[in-house]
């Protein structure tokens, strides 16, 4: 049954990537440095302190107006999550229009509006600029933040997203990374929880607007088919009446890296892969003399498919789909470095060794001329492409002003990139990254990966998925005086009272909702099963319906033919409860393992060439987890919130992690032994 769901999940959430084949036998020559011409750029300041930047570009009849607040960071405290909702609440109704009326006006214009906690803007056809600016003005001056219905919807959506990401190693890694680097009390280290979202009220949005939306800390960037004179008139007409005010911003304390490289481990027993992220703080600003050497050096290390990490960990070893690194500067506080990948559990320790080796190499040895030329060529090409967009020029000018950079910083950007020598790179990166004092953050399945990590010689600190220090995860315990058969019988009794009662289930239908982090709304799932192996699953989401199943003889799918391996698995199905077909020869009781904080019997089931691990709660006897797959890929499914349906205790929450995707099914209803027809499985 899960095979069907896995395929449908991938159809909903994955995109095929086509990589161009590149001949790397000959080192490419750097692209010639193109002259940088920003075109006509002007800037001025209104009497209320609003700084205005104008970039003329008359290629298209489009004008973009961006308003950006120059703030250090917004600390949300016990209301964490409200800032991400602010833009939606700003558009949720004004003094003169309801949310629905605003949406209708915006749809009619066809202009592209956006809003966030520190920005607001619109991209409009020149002929629609005046009515678009009237709406922008309405949003800026007259937002009421009084739409409780919209706030309730956003809070529900946020909590659904948190639940969907609860067992997502990437989401957990990002959260713990910020805690380790900045601390929970810092604006960059705090995170959303169900509790903080519940704390959010309409007053929080009103207070945010009253506190931060001041023209004297804002930049207005106007780019496109507009003259400087027209832009000045526009700025005066729509923004001159905006009253300036005083903002008391918290001055963040610059943190320091950990002392000595160590492993920070988060145990996620449901993880089918390990998420590795080598992280550290960096004190790097664009005006620093080592900035360009650092940028090029990091690009050589891990920027894209031509980076060393990608070539090594993906192409050479085949341990991951991608391995990359980032180097983020910050003009007001500490930036950060990160090198990351998701790898198979059984190669986690080996991947850590390769990460450390590559970071040490780039900080101690000059790169080859070929590597340096490739990256310089990429920068020359990408930079020139970026300048085709007028908003890029506007962003550059705004950045120069915000960060107090020389007025020719971006005009000389490629010149400074191309001046970087191979010998400068290791010196710069050694200083910037501080490779001897990094955290190797790993979110993974401790049972499988810790034995290998402990052999690497690093000290290991343990954290929970919220960044709180915790104890080393408990290992496997011996299951004394219990047999596989007893565990299985306890399960039958827990679900139905007896094995015989389970055997009378010949058909089943379920109705459920499925949530995924990248789906804007839950998907409706209907499943029908008829013994021994007929099954169909129908998923409806966003106006689309996907159908897939097996009619007892052949597979069918709205997405094309099914793999032969999947059809063979359907043929081998022997009823709704696969546990009924387990024999003593198939099962081995391996021991007791903690699952979500509770002890569970771990059973290894072998059928032909296939193996899977099934976990049964020691106290309740119910199935709580199942792991399937191969050494290259695996799927983990957790079962919880059991409720009674027609005399059977069945799970209403089923959370699955497969192929890097995490999803949760909430089952609303089970129907036991309904009358089904052959037509139901077509």
């Amino acid at each position: 049954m899960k095979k069907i769901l896995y395929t449908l999940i991938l159809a909903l959430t994955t995109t095929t990537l086509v990589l161009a084949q590149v001949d790397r036998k000959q080192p490419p020559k750097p692209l010639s440095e193109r002259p940088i011409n920003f075109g006509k750029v002007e800037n001025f300041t209104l009497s209320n302190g609003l700084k205005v930047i104008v970039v003329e570009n008359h290629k298209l009849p489009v004008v973009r107006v961006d308003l950006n607040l120059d703030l250090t960071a917004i600390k949300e405290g016990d209301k964490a999550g409200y800032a991400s909702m602010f833009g939606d609440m700003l558009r949720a109704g004004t003094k003169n229009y309801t949310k629905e009326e605003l949406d209708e006006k915006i749809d009619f214009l066809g202009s592209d509006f956006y809003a966030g906690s520190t920005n607001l803007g619109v991209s409009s056809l020149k002929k629609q600029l005046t009515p678009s600016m009237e709406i922008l003005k309405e949003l800026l001056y007259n937002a009421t933040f009084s739409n409780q219905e919209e706030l309730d919807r956003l809070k529900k959506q946020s909590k659904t997203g948190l639940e969907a990401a609860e067992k997502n190693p990437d989401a957990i890694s990002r959260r713990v990374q910020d805690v380790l680097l900045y601390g929970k009390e810092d604006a960059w280290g705090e995170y959303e929880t169900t509790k903080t979202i519940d704390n959010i009220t309409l007053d929080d949005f009103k207070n945010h607007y009253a506190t931060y939306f001041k023209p004297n800390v804002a930049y207005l960037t106007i780019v496109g088919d507009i003259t400087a004179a027209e832009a000045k008139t526009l700025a005066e007409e729509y923004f001159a009446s905006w009253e300036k005010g005083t903002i008391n911003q918290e001055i963040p304390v610059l943190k320091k890296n950990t002392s000595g490289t160590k492993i920070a481990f988060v145990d996620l027993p449901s993880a089918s892969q390990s998420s590795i992220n080598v992280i550290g703080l960096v004190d790097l600003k664009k005006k620093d003399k080592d900035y360009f050497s650092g940028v090029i050096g990091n690009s050589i290390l891990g920027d894209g498919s031509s980076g060393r990490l990608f070539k090594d960990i993906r192409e050479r070893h085949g341990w991951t789909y991608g391995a990359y690194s980032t180097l983020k500067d910050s003009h007001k506080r500490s930036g950060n470095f990160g090198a990351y990948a998701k790898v198979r559990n059984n190669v986690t320790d080996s991947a850590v060794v390769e990460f450390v080796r590559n970071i040490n190499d780039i900080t101690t040895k000059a790169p080859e001329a070929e590597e340096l030329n490739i990256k310089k060529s990429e920068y020359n090409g990408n930079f020139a492409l970026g300048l085709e967009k007028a908003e890029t020029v506007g962003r550059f000018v705004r950045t120069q002003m915000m960060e107090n950079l020389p007025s020719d910083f971006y005009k000389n950007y490629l010149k400074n990139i191309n001046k970087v020598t191979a010998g400068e790179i290791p010196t710069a990166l050694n200083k910037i990254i501080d490779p001897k004092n990094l955290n190797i953050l790993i979110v993974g399945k401790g049972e499988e990966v810790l034995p290998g990590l402990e052999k690497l010689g690093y000290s290991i600190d343990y954290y929970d998925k919220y960044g709180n220090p915790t104890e080393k995860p408990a290992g496997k315990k011996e299951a004394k005086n219990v047999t596989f058969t007893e565990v299985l019988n306890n399960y039958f009794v827990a679900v139905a009272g007896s094995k015989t009662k389970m055997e009378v289930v010949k058909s089943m239908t379920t109705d459920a909702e499925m949530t995924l982090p990248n789906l804007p709304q839950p998907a409706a799932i209907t499943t029908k099963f008829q013994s021994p192996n007929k099954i169909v699953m129908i998923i409806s989401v966003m106006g689309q319906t996907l159908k897939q199943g097996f009619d007892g003889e052949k597979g069918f799918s709205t997405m094309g033919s099914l793999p032969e391996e999947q059809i063979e698995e359907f043929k081998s199905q022997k009823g709704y409860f696969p546990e009924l077909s387990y024999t003593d020869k198939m099962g081995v009781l391996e021991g007791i393992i903690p699952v979500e904080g509770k002890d569970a019997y771990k059973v290894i089931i072998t059928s032909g060439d296939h193996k899977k691990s099934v976990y049964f709660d020691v106290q309740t006897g119910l199935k709580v987890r199942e792991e399937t797959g191969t050494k290259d890929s695996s799927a983990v499914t957790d079962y919880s919130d059991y409720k009674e349906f027609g005399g059977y205790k069945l799970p209403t929450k089923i959370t699955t992690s497969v192929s890097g995707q995490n999803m949760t099914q909430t089952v609303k209803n089970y129907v036991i032994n309904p009358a089904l027809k052959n037509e139901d499985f077509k």
Side-chain angles (χ1 to χ4, degrees), residues 2 12 167 215 227 271 286 351 387 426 464 530 549 552 559 619:
K2 290 194 289 292
L12 286 169
K167 296 178 181 179
T227 66
K286 291 184 179 68
L387 290 179
D464 66 16
Q530 185 167 296
M559 298 171 294
Q619 295 297 321

Side-chain angles (χ1 to χ4, degrees), residues 382-669:
N382 293 335
F383 196 89
L385 286 174
L387 290 179
E388 294 294 320
K389 299 179 180 179
E391 55 263 35
T392 301
V393 177
R395 176 168 52 83
F396 284 168
V397 176
R398 184 172 65 241
T399 299
Q400 288 176 172
M401 296 174 67
M402 280 186 175
E403 301 190 20
N404 196 26
L405 299 171
S407 60
D408 60 356
F409 179 83
Y410 283 104
K411 287 186 177 180
N412 291 328
Y413 195 90
L414 290 183
K415 184 181 295 183
N416 287 319
I417 284 288
N418 291 323
K419 282 168 57 178
V420 173
T421 65
E424 294 170 346
I425 289 174
T427 302
L429 281 183
N430 186 67
K431 174 184 174 183
I432 295 168
I433 294 177
D434 193 14
K436 302 297 182 184
N437 297 292
L438 296 172
N439 262 313
I440 304 171
L441 173 59
I442 300 173
V443 179
K445 188 174 182 178
E447 177 191 359
E448 295 185 6
V449 305
L450 274 176
L453 293 175
E454 289 171 340
K455 296 176 182 178
L456 298 182
Y458 297 106
S459 64
I460 303 178
D461 294 330
Y462 300 95
Y463 298 88
D464 66 16
K465 54 190 174 183
Y466 298 101
N468 300 307
T470 188
E471 298 296 321
K472 178 181 176 180
K476 181 170 59 180
K477 296 186 294 186
E478 183 181 355
K480 297 180 180 179
N481 303 319
V482 180
T483 66
F484 163 69
T485 300
E486 289 173 328
V487 170
L488 209 54
N489 285 334
N490 288 339
Y491 169 67
F492 298 147
V493 171
V495 171
S498 69
K499 181 179 181 181
T500 302
K501 188 176 177 181
M502 290 183 72
E503 290 174 332
V504 302
V505 176
K506 301 301 181 183
S507 63
M508 179 92 75
T509 63
T510 66
D511 291 303
E513 281 189 348
M514 179 178 71
T515 57
L516 282 161
N518 54 344
L519 277 182
Q521 62 189 59
I525 305 177
T526 298
T527 305
K528 299 178 182 180
F529 174 86
Q530 185 167 296
S531 186
N533 56 11
K534 291 182 180 180
I535 186 169
V536 63
M537 183 174 287
I538 304 166
I539 297 184
S540 301
V541 61
M542 299 171 63
Q544 296 187 60
T545 299
L546 305 176
K547 186 176 182 181
Q548 188 168 322
F550 185 72
D551 67 3
E553 295 182 359
K554 60 182 183 298
F556 56 92
S557 172
T558 57
M559 298 171 294
S561 59
L562 297 179
E564 188 62 34
E565 178 186 356
Q566 188 170 332
I567 293 174
E568 290 301 317
E569 183 168 331
F570 289 148
K571 288 180 179 179
S572 67
Q573 186 84 13
K574 297 178 181 178
Y576 185 82
F577 298 104
E579 294 80 11
L580 290 170
S581 64
Y582 296 166
T583 65
D584 287 344
K585 292 182 179 180
M586 295 170 61
V588 175
L589 177 57
E590 193 170 84
I592 298 175
I593 301 291
V595 175
E596 300 298 324
K598 297 181 179 180
D599 283 348
Y601 294 115
K602 180 180 181 180
V603 173
I604 306 297
I605 303 296
T606 303
S607 178
D609 295 331
H610 300 285
K611 281 189 177 183
K612 65 179 178 180
S613 300
V614 187
Y615 299 79
F616 299 90
D617 187 281
V618 169
Q619 295 297 321
T620 67
L622 295 168
K623 181 169 67 174
V624 291
R625 176 170 292 165
E626 188 168 303
E627 299 170 346
T628 59
T630 66
K631 69 174 184 177
D632 295 326
S633 64
S634 60
V636 179
T637 300
D638 283 347
Y639 304 88
S640 59
D641 293 354
Y642 278 79
K643 296 179 182 178
E644 189 169 310
F645 296 87
Y648 295 81
K649 191 171 284 188
L650 301 168
T652 61
K653 184 177 179 181
I654 304 171
T655 303
T656 302
S657 173
V658 58
S659 299
Q661 299 291 336
N662 292 271
M663 70 93 188
T664 298
Q665 280 191 83
T666 302
V667 183
K668 297 181 177 180
N669 191 38

Side-chain angles (χ1 to χ4, degrees), residues 165-203:
E166 185 71 10
K167 296 178 181 179
N168 185 319
D170 290 338
I172 294 171
S173 182
R174 286 191 295 270
R175 180 168 58 214
V176 176
Q177 167 191 308
D178 293 341
V179 172
L180 293 178
L181 291 179
Y182 300 102
K184 287 185 181 180
E185 300 307 312
D186 189 278
W188 285 8
E190 61 186 8
Y191 51 79
E192 301 173 24
T193 66
T194 299
K195 184 177 180 179
T196 65
I197 290 171
D198 283 336
N199 289 338
I200 297 170
T201 68
L202 292 171
D203 285 341

